[in-house]
């Protein structure tokens, strides 16, 4: 329970930092905390069940916090990737951000599902 509270505090702090600075580093930090939040939260600070997936599994309010952090990180990182092209879009940078971001979300969600 204490670890979940610490992770939530770090996630909220990283989200605030990401909103204030909108830098790539802040986006990567937020992405990491959002991905780590899903398995660390599982069973501790869940909140209400928003969508029922099966008898023992569903998407909760706590999961929505992690996904919201992930979305914010992806917006900041994709904005950074698009701006850093100096006149032309760096598709490889955008692709790398998308691949890493989706992999982080998938791993966090799968780990949370398996530990639940």
């Amino acid at each position: 329970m204490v670890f979940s509270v610490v992770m939530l505090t770090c996630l909220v702090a990283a989200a605030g930092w990401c909103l204030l600075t909108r830098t790539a580093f802040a986006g990567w930090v937020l992405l990491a905390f959002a991905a780590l939040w899903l398995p660390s939260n599982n069973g501790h600070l869940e909140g209400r069940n928003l969508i029922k997936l099966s008898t023992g599994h569903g998407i909760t309010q706590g999961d929505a916090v992690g996904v919201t952090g992930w979305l914010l990180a992806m917006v900041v990182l994709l904005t950074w990737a698009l701006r850093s092209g100096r006149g032309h879009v760096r598709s490889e940078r955008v692709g790398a951000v998308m691949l890493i971001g989706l992999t982080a979300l998938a791993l966090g969600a799968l780990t949370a599902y398996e530990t639940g």
Side-chain angles (χ1 to χ4, degrees):
M1 175 79 165
V2 172
F3 183 68
S4 294
V5 172
V6 170
M7 285 300 299
L8 180 59
T9 304
C10 291
L11 179 65
V12 171
W17 179 38
C18 196
L19 281 171
L20 288 174
T21 64
R22 295 189 181 156
T23 61
F25 185 68
W28 290 117
V29 170
L30 178 58
L31 181 67
F33 279 120
L36 290 172
W37 167 249
L38 293 172
S40 69
N41 164 48
N42 204 16
H44 300 289
L45 301 173
E46 294 279 347
R48 288 210 224 129
N49 198 3
L50 302 175
I51 299 171
K52 184 177 179 180
L53 299 176
S54 68
T55 306
H57 298 288
I59 298 174
T60 64
Q61 291 171 327
D63 298 332
V65 169
V67 172
T68 302
W70 176 81
L71 284 172
L72 175 61
M74 290 303 291
V75 166
V76 168
L77 289 170
L78 287 173
T79 302
W80 163 76
L82 290 171
R83 278 188 300 176
S84 63
R86 289 184 175 69
H88 62 283
V89 175
R90 303 272 314 258
S91 59
E92 65 276 359
R93 187 171 282 182
V94 173
V97 167
M98 290 296 295
L99 180 65
I100 294 168
L102 290 172
T103 303
L105 179 68
L107 287 174
L110 285 173
T111 304
Y113 187 79
E114 290 299 320
T115 59

